[in-house]
C-alpha cells in the first residue's frame, strides 16, 4: 500500500510539473496581441458551391448558405502583395470535410480522405499550411467535399501569419480560456484520482461527480476551441475527445442535481434526465466507434434537444420547489441558473449559425464558458460548505457515539459497547471471556469516601487495560464488574494474562501510597472449538466461576473484612 502511495505521489508530481511547463508554453504562445502579427483574409475570399445535382452557386465573400453532405465548396483565397509576410503560413478551420489546398496544380495540404474511407469521423480540422513565396500576389484554392449535413456556412478563422508563430493560431480566441480550463482539467483529474483512494462515503461520491463534470466540460471546451491540436496532431482523436466531453457532461450535470436533497418527484425526474442523457451518450459512443456511418455529429441535434428539455425542466423544478434553501443551496441555485441561461443562449447562437447561417455577435465570446466558470465556482463553494457541514455533523456524531459507548469514569468501553461487540463474535471463533469483580469496593466507599472509591475503580481499570489491550478488549459492565475478551486465545493464553494482571496488582500494592489495596476476583471461560458455545452460555459460565471465587475469597478473608482491610487473593 505504501508503494502504491509513492507511485501515486510521483504520478501527481509528474502531472503538476508537466502542467507548469504547459503554462509557460501557453504564456509564450499567447504573448502576441499586435494586429501586425497576423492578417485576416475573409475579405479576400470568393466561394463557389457545387451541389449534388450539378448546380453551382457563387458567393462574393466568405459567408454562404449552409452546406450539406455531397456539396463541394471551392474557396479561392487571394494573397495580395500588400499583406506579404516572409516565411508565412495559411491557417484556417473547417468542419467535417475532405480538404485539398492547391497552389496552381500543386497540392499544399490534404486531409480527410483516409478517415472518410475508414468510416471515421472527420470532425473539426485546424490547418497550418506553409505558403510558397511565389504564391504572393496570386491565389490559393481550397476544395472541401462536405461529409455531414448542416456542416458550416463559412471557412472559419482564415489568417496568414509567420510560420514560427503559427502555433499561436490556436490561441487567437484567448489564452485565458485555455489556461483556465486546462488548469481545471488537470487538477480535477488529480482530485478524481485522489478521491479513488479515499474511504467511500456519499460526500466523496459527490466530489468524484463534480470532478468528472469539470473534466468533461473542460475536455469539450479545449477540443471545441482547438486547444487539443496543440498537443496532438491526431485530428480524429481530438474530435472524439471533444464529443465525449460534450455528450458526457449533461448526464453528470443532471446526476449532480439528483444528489441534492429534493422532494421525491423532483429526484425521479432528474434521475430520468440523467439516465436518458447517459443512454444517449452510451449509444452515440458505441455507434461512433463500432459503425462507419453513425458518428457523434449524427446525434448532436438529439443531444441539444434533450439538453434543452432537461434545462427547462430543471428551471421549472427549481421554481416550483417549496423546501427551505440553505445558504449553500442558494449559492448553487443562482450559479446554476446563470449557467443555464448562458448555455441556452449559446445553443441558440450555435443553431442559428449552423442551420440558418445567421451570425449573432455578442459582447462576450464563449458565453457558455463564462457561465460554466460561474457555475463551477458556485458548485465548489457549495461542496466546500457541505464538507464543512459534514465534518461538523460527523464530529458531533462521533462525540455522541463515544458518550454512548464509553464509561465516563474509567474511559473503558461500557456495557452497551460490550453487547454490541459480542454480536460480532462468531460461535466457532477462538476466544475467551474473563469476568472480574473488585473485592472490598463497598468498604472503601463506606470508610474512605466515594472519591477514593472512584479512584479504586479507575486504578483497576487502568491495570486491566494495560494487561489486556494487546490481546483483546476491556469493558466496564457497571459498579465493580469488568469483562475482558481475548479475541485469539491461542495467541494470547488467558492464564499468562491473569499472571501478568496479578503481578501488576502486586506491584501497585507494593508501591501504593493510597489508603487501600487492590483486590479482585475473576472467572475465566474459553470457547471450545470442538464443542462451541454461544456467547450467552460462556458469559453464564464465566460469571458462575467468578462468583465461586468471590465466595471463596470472602470465606478465606472473613477476619480481614471485619478489620476493614482488602487483599488480593490468587485464585
Amino acid at each position: 500500500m505504501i508503494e502504491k502511495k509513492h507511485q501515486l505521489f510521483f504520478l501527481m508530481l509528474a502531472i503538476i510539473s508537466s502542467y507548469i511547463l504547459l503554462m509557460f508554453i501557453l504564456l509564450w504562445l499567447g504573448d502576441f496581441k499586435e494586429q501586425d502579427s497576423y492578417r485576416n483574409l475573409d475579405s479576400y475570399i470568393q466561394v463557389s458551391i457545387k451541389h449534388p445535382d450539378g448546380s453551382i452557386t457563387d458567393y462574393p465573400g466568405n459567408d454562404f448558405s449552409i452546406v450539406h453532405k455531397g456539396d463541394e465548396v471551392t474557396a479561392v483565397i487571394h494573397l495580395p502583395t500588400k499583406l506579404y509576410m516572409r516565411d508565412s503560413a495559411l491557417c484556417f478551420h473547417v468542419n467535417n470535410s475532405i480538404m485539398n489546398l492547391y497552389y496552381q496544380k500543386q497540392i499544399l495540404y490534404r486531409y480527410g480522405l483516409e478517415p472518410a474511407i475508414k468510416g471515421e469521423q472527420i470532425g473539426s480540422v485546424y490547418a497550418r499550411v506553409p505558403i510558397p513565396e511565389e504564391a504572393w500576389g496570386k491565389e490559393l484554392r481550397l476544395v472541401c467535399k462536405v461529409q455531414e449535413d448542416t456542416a458550416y456556412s463559412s471557412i472559419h478563422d482564415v489568417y496568414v501569419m509567420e510560420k514560427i508563430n503559427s502555433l499561436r493560431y490556436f490561441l487567437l480566441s484567448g489564452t485565458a480560456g485555455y489556461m483556465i480550463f486546462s488548469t481545471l482539467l488537470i487538477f480535477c483529474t488529480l482530485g478524481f484520482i485522489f478521491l479513488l483512494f479515499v474511504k467511500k462515503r456519499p460526500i466523496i461520491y459527490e466530489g468524484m461527480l463534480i470532478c468528472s463534470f469539470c473534466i468533461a466540460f473542460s475536455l469539450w471546451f479545449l477540443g471545441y476551441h482547438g486547444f487539443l491540436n496543440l498537443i496532438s496532431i491526431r485530428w480524429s482523436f481530438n474530435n472524439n475527445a471533444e464529443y465525449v466531453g460534450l455528450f458526457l457532461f449533461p448526464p453528470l450535470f443532471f446526476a449532480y442535481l439528483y444528489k441534492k436533497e429534493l422532494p421525491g418527484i423532483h429526484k425521479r425526474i432528474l434521475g430520468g434526465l440523467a439516465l436518458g442523457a447517459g443512454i444517449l451518450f452510451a449509444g452515440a459512443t458505441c455507434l461512433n466507434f463500432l459503425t462507419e456511418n453513425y458518428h457523434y455529429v449524427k446525434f448532436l441535434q438529439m443531444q441539444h434537444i434533450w439538453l434543452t428539455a432537461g434545462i427547462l425542466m430543471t428551471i421549472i423544478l427549481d421554481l416550483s420547489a417549496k423546501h427551505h434553501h440553505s445558504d449553500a443551496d442558494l449559492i448553487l441555485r443562482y450559479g446554476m441558473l446563470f449557467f443555464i441561461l448562458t448555455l441556452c443562449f449559446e445553443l441558440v447562437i450555435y443553431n442559428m449559425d449552423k442551420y440558418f447561417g445567421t451570425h449573432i455577435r455578442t459582447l462576450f465570446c464563449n458565453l457558455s464558458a463564462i457561465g460554466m466558470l460561474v457555475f463551477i465556482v458556485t458548485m465548489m463553494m457549495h461542496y466546500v460548505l457541505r464538507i464543512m457541514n459534514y465534518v461538523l455533523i460527523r464530529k458531533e456524531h462521533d462525540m455522541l457515539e463515544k458518550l454512548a459507548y464509553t464509561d465516563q469514569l474509567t474511559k473503558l468501553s461500557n456495557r452497551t459497547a460490550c453487547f454490541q461487540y459480542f454480536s460480532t463474535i462468531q460461535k466457532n471463533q477462538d476466544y475467551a471471556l474473563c469476568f472480574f469483580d473488585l473485592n472490598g469496593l463497598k468498604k472503601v466507599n463506606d470508610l474512605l469516601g466515594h472519591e477514593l472509591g472512584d479512584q479504586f475503580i479507575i486504578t483497576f481499570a487502568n491495570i486491566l487495560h494495560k494487561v489486556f489491550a494487546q490481546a483483546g478488549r476491556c469493558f466496564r459492565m457497571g459498579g465493580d464488574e469488568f469483562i475482558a475478551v481475548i479475541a485469539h486465545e491461542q495467541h494470547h493464553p488467558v492464564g499468562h494474562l491473569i499472571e501478568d494482571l496479578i503481578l501488576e496488582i502486586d506491584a501497585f500494592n507494593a508501591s501504593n501510597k493510597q489508603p487501600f489495596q487492590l483486590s479482585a476476583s475473576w472467572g475465566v471461560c474459553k470457547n471450545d472449538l470442538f464443542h462451541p458455545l454461544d456467547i450467552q452460555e460462556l458469559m453464564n459460565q464465566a460469571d458462575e466461576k467468578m462468583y465461586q471465587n468471590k465466595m471463596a475469597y470472602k470465606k478465606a478473608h472473613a477476619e480481614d473484612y471485619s478489620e476493614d482491610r482488602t487483599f488480593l487473593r490468587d485464585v
Side-chain angles (χ1 to χ4, degrees), residues 87-139:
D87 293 327
S88 56
L90 179 69
C91 303
F92 58 91
H93 169 207
V94 177
N95 299 322
N96 303 310
S97 295
I98 299 173
M99 295 177 293
N100 290 285
L101 180 65
Y102 298 92
Y103 167 61
Q104 296 178 351
K105 294 183 179 181
Q106 176 186 358
I107 296 180
L108 301 179
Y109 178 81
R110 62 170 55 177
Y111 180 78
L113 182 60
E114 184 177 351
I117 293 174
K118 293 180 180 179
E120 297 177 354
Q121 179 177 269
I122 297 176
S124 300
V125 176
Y126 290 78
R128 299 174 290 114
V129 186
I131 299 175
E133 291 294 319
E134 62 272 18
W136 285 99
K138 300 177 184 177
E139 59 190 34

Side-chain angles (χ1 to χ4, degrees), residues 15 19 22-23 26 176-192 210-222 227 368-380:
I15 293 175
Y19 165 74
L22 176 64
M23 289 301 102
L26 283 178
Y178 297 129
M179 296 185 69
I180 291 171
F181 283 98
S182 60
T183 301
L184 194 65
L185 176 64
I186 291 172
F187 282 96
C188 285
T189 302
L190 291 176
F192 186 86
I210 292 174
C211 288
S212 302
F213 174 77
C214 295
I215 290 169
F217 190 87
S218 299
L219 202 61
W220 168 78
F221 179 89
L222 297 175
F227 176 75
S368 60
I370 296 173
M372 174 56 70
L373 278 177
V374 172
F375 178 57
I376 288 174
V377 170
T378 57
M379 187 164 52
M380 289 183 174

Side-chain angles (χ1 to χ4, degrees), residues 440-468:
L441 175 61
K442 184 177 184 303
K443 287 192 173 292
V444 172
N445 284 329
D446 293 342
L447 299 175
L448 301 177
H450 286 276
E451 185 175 348
L452 281 176
D454 289 345
Q455 188 62 44
F456 188 77
I457 295 172
I458 293 171
T459 302
F460 179 78
N462 291 339
I463 294 174
L464 187 69
H465 181 266
K466 179 180 178 181
V467 174
F468 284 87

Side-chain angles (χ1 to χ4, degrees), residues 227-241:
F227 176 75
L228 294 180
N229 297 288
L230 269 174
I231 55 180
S232 172
I233 59 173
R234 297 180 60 189
W235 308 117
S236 179
F237 170 81
N238 297 343
N239 286 303
N240 284 329

Side-chain angles (χ1 to χ4, degrees), residues 23 26-27 29-31 33 171-180:
M23 289 301 102
L26 283 178
L27 288 172
L29 288 175
D31 188 24
K33 299 298 181 184
L171 302 178
L172 286 177
S173 59
T175 309
Y178 297 129
M179 296 185 69
I180 291 171

